[in-house]
Amino acid sequence: KPYQMRHSFSQMLKKLVLYKEFVQSHRSYLVNLQHVSAITGMELVMDNGVRLPISRNSYKAVNQAFISNYGLNK
């Protein structure tokens, strides 16, 4: 569900990355890992089928966070 907020992306990033289930996959994307179904190549596949990019610099951290989060939710 989309939400409108009156915060900058950097403000939201600072607040949400404190929670283990949120990760920045790309410059403009902050993702809730509980809604990621897979990582394919350099993309996250969301549980609704939407594909989001993963930057080369973020790939390792995103992949590790996904693996850690996947183990907690299954």
Side-chain angles (χ1 to χ4, degrees):
K1 179 178 175 182
Y3 293 97
Q4 273 192 345
M5 302 193 163
R6 294 180 183 209
H7 299 287
S8 69
F9 185 80
S10 61
Q11 289 173 324
M12 290 306 298
L13 180 63
K14 286 178 186 176
K15 290 180 181 187
L16 292 175
V17 295
L18 297 175
Y19 301 96
K20 301 261 188 223
E21 64 268 8
F22 287 92
V23 66
Q24 185 176 11
S25 65
H26 204 277
R27 184 176 153 193
S28 300
Y29 295 94
L30 184 61
V31 178
N32 184 336
L33 291 168
Q34 293 180 351
H35 295 285
V36 175
S37 59
I39 294 179
T40 59
M42 297 299 286
E43 291 181 322
L44 292 169
V45 181
M46 305 305 290
D47 54 13
N48 63 359
V50 172
R51 293 176 176 265
L52 301 174
I54 304 172
S55 70
R56 283 180 281 173
N57 294 335
S58 300
Y59 181 81
K60 186 175 180 179
V62 170
N63 195 40
Q64 283 294 99
F66 174 72
I67 291 168
S68 296
N69 193 64
Y70 187 80
L72 295 174
N73 290 323
K74 300 299 175 199

